Amino acid sequence: MKRTAFVTGATGFLGAFFTVHLLQQGFRVYALVRNASERSLSPVINQINHQLSGPALNLSDNFFCVDGDVRIANCGLSDGDATRIAGEVTDVWHFAAAFEGSGNGDNSVFETNVGGTDNLLNFLLTCQTSVRLNYVSTAYASPVVDGIAWEDLAASESLNRSEKNVYENTKAEAERRVSEFCDKRELEYRIFRPPIVAGESGSGSSLGYTGYQGVFRALYLLKRRLEINIGEDFDNDLRLRVIANPALPVNVVPVDFVVNSMWRLAESVRTANGLFNITSRSAVNLDALFKAASQSLGVFGISLSTKHDFDAEPLTMAERLFRRRMKFQEPYFLTSNQFDSSKFRDHVAESDLPSPACEPEYLARCNKYCLEAMELEFMAT
Ligand SMILES: NC(=O)c1ccc[n+]([C@@H]2O[C@H](COP(=O)([O-])OP(=O)(O)OC[C@H]3O[C@@H](n4cnc5c(N)ncnc54)[C@H](OP(=O)(O)O)[C@@H]3O)[C@@H](O)[C@H]2O)c1
């Protein structure tokens, strides 16, 4: 029987890259898409596949978008789609998540990340018994003890402890629900935790502006704004103070590293019901990330420090704008942990899939790709 995947979040960055991988592996894919009738994912899938230099994919027979929303019971699937998918699906990949506006009391983040996972779990009960669930979480859902983010579930009493955002708490809560629900019903599952994901290693290509790409986009938009406001006198000096620890190590990995790691883990019988921190051994410091971004944008004047005196010199309009855009990312500029990835590495040896090093050349490729995509968007508006 042909393996069939049901994928949530296939319109997003990781989900789209992983969907291409599944199609390359010969899967049939049902992608849950909000407003599917108005959105065609095929060009995105083809474009990613083309960038990865894969042979043409047979989308018409193997790729189907189905309308739905994870916040609705049965993921909002029509009765016909639900019955068809439940009868055919062998593998479920759950990428759908909300980050935007992650702030205290943001219900849509909870509804999507926790409620959406509950709805998906309940849908699994209608599927054939051998279905395997793959839940894509984040390394930031790891419980932290003594500065180490461990490859374990967070204890229930420590949930809702993240001071950074609702997102981290909801991802940890969803992990716990996946594990409890599946253990009780003897359903096979795996939980994957990538750190910060950036573009594909070779081409630097990405999709959308989550994670690292979000920071780069905010700097680009700031440059654009200053070009418009200051005009010809703009000298590429952003005069931007960022509250950040320049020496902070940040775990950034290419999307293909995450795709390959998840695939290997998902295909190994020994990893059933496991949880894996798909992190890199090497980290890049924040200063290097901002330097790479400045270079790619042709700007200067970004000062990273935890000791800016905003009382003596209040925030400028540009700084306020940047901080508003960085509301989600800003806490990640101040603290980081070392990630335990021993279980991941027990199954995927360094010699088989080496930890990626986040070199300046790689960051330059990611930035170039992102910049071209943003310039195209800018020209289209
Ligand atoms: N990017 C990273 O650096 C990173 C790092 C670690 C973990 N992750 C995890 O990886 C997963 C994917 O992240 P990403 O960066 O690819 O995010 P993304 O680009 O923002 O994609 C999110 C996806 O979720 C879908 N979605 C959101 N709400 C939905 C709903 N109510 N019903 C159905 N679909 C919904 C979005 O669909 P629409 O197109 O309709 O909005 C989109 O396809 C997430 O679970 C995230 O926690 C990401």
Side-chain angles (χ1 to χ4, degrees):
M1 188 179 81
K2 196 171 176 78
R3 282 174 73 183
T4 300
F6 177 49
V7 182
T8 73
T11 54
F13 176 30
L14 263 69
F17 274 79
F18 200 81
T19 296
V20 169
H21 181 79
L22 287 170
L23 291 163
Q24 287 170 337
Q25 298 299 323
F27 273 70
R28 267 162 80 81
V29 174
Y30 288 99
L32 182 86
V33 177
R34 291 190 278 186
N35 305 318
S37 57
E38 293 157 28
R39 301 164 77 184
S40 171
L41 247 187
S42 302
V44 176
I45 298 293
N46 275 328
Q47 191 197 339
I48 293 174
N49 187 51
H50 178 69
Q51 279 155 6
L52 302 178
S53 314
L57 291 168
N58 173 8
L59 292 185
S60 53
D61 288 345
N62 292 325
F63 179 68
F64 310 94
C65 287
V66 288
D67 214 337
D69 185 319
V70 293
R71 290 170 300 177
I72 303 171
N74 236 13
C75 297
L77 290 165
S78 69
D79 289 348
D81 284 339
T83 308
R84 192 154 54 111
I85 295 168
E88 289 178 33
V89 71
T90 53
D91 301 73
V92 173
W93 284 87
H94 183 31
F95 291 90
F99 318 70
E100 296 294 328
S102 279
N104 286 339
D106 191 333
N107 254 339
S108 82
V109 177
F110 185 87
E111 279 169 23
T112 308
N113 299 354
V114 179
T117 301
D118 282 343
N119 288 329
L120 183 74
L121 289 169
N122 285 320
F123 174 64
L124 285 187
L125 294 181
T126 68
C127 300
Q128 43 183 324
T129 48
S130 57
V131 71
R132 302 179 324 165
L133 171 66
N134 299 287
Y135 173 57
V136 182
S137 185
T138 163
Y140 293 94
S142 308
V144 178
V145 181
D146 297 333
I148 311 265
W150 296 99
E151 230 172 347
D152 292 312
L153 282 177
S156 49
E157 63 273 16
S158 71
L159 291 171
N160 291 318
R161 287 283 170 82
S162 167
E163 286 161 12
K164 286 202 189 98
N165 51 47
V166 176
Y167 166 71
E168 285 185 9
N169 289 325
T170 55
K171 295 298 280 188
E173 174 65 27
E175 286 183 350
R176 198 182 56 79
R177 292 188 187 205
V178 164
S179 127
E180 260 182 34
F181 187 97
C182 293
D183 282 342
K184 210 184 247 172
R185 292 161 182 86
E186 298 190 356
L187 291 169
E188 190 173 322
Y189 68 93
R190 288 164 183 78
I191 297 173
F192 303 121
R193 286 179 175 162
I196 295 168
V197 187
E200 195 262 332
S201 334
S203 60
S205 61
S206 53
L207 184 70
Y209 304 102
T210 50
Y212 169 70
Q213 286 77 221
V215 180
F216 188 67
R217 180 180 170 80
L219 291 169
Y220 167 81
L221 291 175
L222 186 62
K223 180 189 174 191
R224 278 263 173 226
R225 172 65 78 95
L226 292 172
E227 276 170 350
I228 291 165
N229 287 359
I230 303 174
E232 279 182 1
D233 289 338
F234 178 57
D235 57 1
N236 292 321
D237 185 350
L238 291 186
R239 296 178 179 81
L240 177 68
R241 292 165 297 167
V242 182
I243 304 174
N245 171 3
L248 195 79
V250 192
N251 213 292
V252 179
V253 295
V255 63
D256 46 311
F257 173 75
V258 178
V259 167
N260 281 330
S261 304
M262 293 196 301
W263 174 247
R264 284 165 197 234
L265 291 165
E267 289 302 289
S268 161
V269 283
R270 292 189 304 124
T271 58
N273 307 345
L275 176 155
F276 306 96
N277 282 355
I278 303 177
T279 51
S280 175
R281 258 191 194 168
S282 65
V284 57
N285 68 37
L286 210 53
D287 192 40
L289 281 183
F290 273 88
K291 277 208 174 100
S294 308
Q295 240 168 33
S296 301
L297 291 170
V299 295
F300 63 99
I302 303 176
S303 144
L304 307 184
S305 169
T306 53
K307 298 199 169 39
H308 294 300
D309 189 352
F310 292 120
D311 288 336
E313 216 180 310
L315 287 164
T316 63
M317 183 272 292
E319 286 171 334
R320 276 202 305 275
L321 197 70
F322 182 76
R323 285 195 76 182
R324 213 176 311 138
R325 291 213 171 94
M326 288 293 91
K327 206 170 150 201
F328 179 73
Q329 285 93 341
E330 206 174 57
Y332 297 94
F333 297 164
L334 293 171
T335 54
S336 71
N337 302 302
Q338 206 184 315
F339 293 100
D340 168 33
S341 59
S342 43
K343 291 179 193 159
F344 162 46
R345 284 308 183 181
D346 274 354
H347 295 283
V348 182
E350 274 284 341
S351 50
D352 285 345
L353 191 63
S355 279
C358 198
E359 307 282 7
E361 297 76 19
Y362 163 65
L363 287 172
R365 286 196 291 282
C366 295
N367 294 343
K368 182 169 181 282
Y369 184 89
C370 216
L371 190 57
E372 283 169 5
M374 291 187 296
E375 294 282 345
L376 281 176
E377 272 174 32
F378 192 78
M379 282 192 303
T381 54

